[in-house]
Amino acid sequence: MKEEQKSPHWASFALPLARLLAVCLAAAFALGAAGGPASAAQAVPTSKSASSGAVRTVIPLGRAVGIKLFSDGVLVVGLSEIPTADGSLTPAKDCGLREGDIITHINSEEVDTIEEVQEILQTVGEDKLSIRAMRDGRQVQMTVQAAKCSPDGSYKLGAWIRDSMAGIGTMTFYDPEAGVFGALGHGINDVDTALLMPLSSGSIMYAEVSDVKKGTCGAPGELHGTFQVSRDMGDLYANTKSGIFGQLTDDSLAAGAKPVEVAQRSDVKTGKATILSNIAGDKVEEYEVEITRVYPQNDNDTRNLMLKVTDSRLLEATGGIVQGMSGSPILQDGKLVGAVTHVLVNDPTSGYGILAENMLAQAAEASEHI
């Protein structure tokens, strides 16, 4: 397999945790672009208000944080030829392995990291081995023989695999009663396959925004920043289509903040609203927006409303909605309405959002499956 280093998906906002077999790739969790390319150890408690049907209150945050995620199994993100003494071989492709498969076992040994896969391949050598993988929610099994790569003498399958990702996103809410936080408003997808990354473990870390690349028509902007790998402040328990969720172990971010009521769909209306966002340093500010449309209920869609940035300060600083603002809480009439999730490629002043009640429902559902 040719040794190569790929450019990161959002280079300025990435940590090199997303690795490929014989390839390194840094990836970030940026806000999706619409209209164009755009293991927790214990169960998480559900707040009493969520289960009883009483008024739900949470603390809206809007703070940028670093996020690192380790996959459950290793994800196949591509297939490649291997140069050998007998010519180019493609063992992974020949045995039926496909892009998007999640390898969970090799020769009955569970694998979650690239290093574990590499160690098994070098130990087994030219002997045949079995691979167990998940494909579209079902288990598949195949037999393969690794090929000896001529340039370095190592044994390879000809599969590019990823076991982790890292980047920056925005925290949406913290539920102090349950100790649960939600962020992003959408899932963390692999940048090559667009598949939701299967979560084994992960955490959030302290981060600061250093500068902003302004968005323009046809070219969404992005926040640039750094995060502290050694300063975890919470553990992830779910990566879902409606956001990432976890337990906050350091609640200093929410210190002194007052909980607000979570709006129901029936409460949300078109008109003035605000968002909380962190576009410089670690400072969270409130900016004016307008909700221009609320969409009919659709359980399979995380784009529940459309909004437009009207605040001159935010327009001047970012051009509107930019990569990295994903998860910024949306407030209306003193209630948490939802979170920003997408930006329109051809109009960076506008984007989509998910309803907060949908994020909280997903957080509770995911906690039941830990």
Side-chain angles (χ1 to χ4, degrees):
M1 185 182 299
K2 183 179 180 181
E3 296 286 335
E4 179 183 2
Q5 182 162 339
K6 285 190 174 183
S7 299
H9 189 54
W10 305 114
S12 57
F13 235 1
L15 178 76
L17 278 183
R19 298 167 295 167
L20 295 175
L21 187 59
V23 178
C24 291
L25 177 85
F29 314 138
L31 176 138
S39 56
Q42 55 187 9
V44 177
T46 302
S47 71
K48 295 177 182 178
S49 57
S51 58
S52 64
V55 173
R56 185 76 179 271
T57 61
V58 298
I59 297 174
L61 294 172
R63 176 70 185 272
V65 293
I67 305 168
K68 54 185 177 184
L69 179 153
F70 299 94
S71 65
D72 185 11
V74 293
L75 178 67
V76 178
V77 299
L79 302 175
S80 180
E81 296 181 348
I82 301 172
T84 75
D86 299 319
S88 295
L89 299 179
T90 55
K93 180 180 179 180
D94 295 343
C95 78
L97 204 61
R98 299 178 189 174
E99 180 179 304
D101 285 353
I102 302 167
I103 300 174
T104 60
H105 295 78
I106 299 180
N107 281 354
S108 300
E109 291 187 46
E110 185 175 348
V111 292
D112 288 310
T113 69
I114 290 172
E115 288 80 9
E116 289 172 348
V117 173
Q118 290 175 327
E119 183 178 352
I120 293 174
L121 291 181
Q122 306 323 307
T123 300
V124 174
E126 296 181 353
D127 293 340
K128 289 186 177 181
L129 48 84
S130 64
I131 291 178
R132 195 188 315 169
M134 296 300 296
R135 176 184 299 164
D136 299 327
R138 62 185 181 86
Q139 189 179 99
V140 294
Q141 192 149 349
M142 55 209 77
T143 301
V144 65
Q145 184 176 0
K148 189 173 184 178
C149 182
S150 296
D152 61 16
S154 65
Y155 289 92
K156 299 181 179 180
L157 293 178
W160 294 25
I161 57 177
R162 180 171 290 123
D163 63 4
S164 54
M165 295 183 71
I168 285 183
T170 300
M171 295 185 71
T172 306
F173 67 83
Y174 171 56
D175 181 346
E177 185 177 344
V180 170
F181 68 84
L184 298 183
H186 59 70
I188 297 173
N189 291 353
D190 175 70
V191 296
D192 290 302
T193 65
L195 296 174
L196 197 69
M197 286 288 287
L199 174 69
S200 173
S201 64
S203 60
I204 57 172
M205 303 157 285
Y206 289 90
E208 289 190 357
V209 178
S210 57
D211 62 273
V212 182
K213 174 187 174 183
K214 291 183 69 171
T216 59
C217 182
E222 60 182 319
L223 301 179
H224 298 163
T226 58
F227 50 91
Q228 302 177 37
V229 182
S230 60
R231 292 190 66 192
D232 288 356
M233 55 188 299
D235 299 316
L236 298 180
Y237 70 80
N239 176 30
T240 77
K241 66 177 183 179
S242 300
I244 61 170
F245 306 102
Q247 292 261 212
L248 206 59
T249 54
D250 181 352
D251 59 4
S252 61
L253 283 186
K258 295 182 178 180
V260 303
E261 186 177 337
V262 176
Q264 302 298 303
R265 176 182 287 272
S266 58
D267 297 327
V268 186
K269 59 183 183 294
T270 57
K272 291 184 178 181
T274 60
I275 62 172
L276 299 177
S277 201
N278 179 184
I279 63 169
D282 58 6
K283 186 178 181 180
V284 177
E285 294 195 62
E286 190 168 14
Y287 300 99
E288 295 178 353
V289 299
E290 181 178 357
I291 297 176
T292 58
R293 186 173 179 182
V294 181
Y295 293 94
Q297 185 166 351
N298 182 348
D299 294 336
N300 295 318
D301 195 355
T302 58
R303 302 177 188 181
N304 304 137
L305 56 86
M306 179 173 281
L307 70 156
K308 187 175 183 67
V309 176
T310 57
D311 196 299
S312 59
R313 298 171 301 150
L314 189 57
L315 291 171
E316 174 63 26
T318 66
I321 302 170
V322 299
Q323 314 279 0
M325 287 171 61
S326 181
S328 297
I330 306 168
L331 302 168
Q332 186 179 60
D333 298 331
K335 299 180 180 181
L336 177 63
V337 168
V340 179
T341 58
H342 295 75
V343 59
L344 297 180
V345 170
N346 294 323
D347 180 9
T349 67
S350 299
Y352 292 101
I354 183 175
L355 291 175
E357 67 172 0
N358 289 350
M359 287 186 69
L360 286 161
Q362 183 74 80
E365 180 182 344
S367 72
E368 296 173 358
H369 296 90
I370 295 177

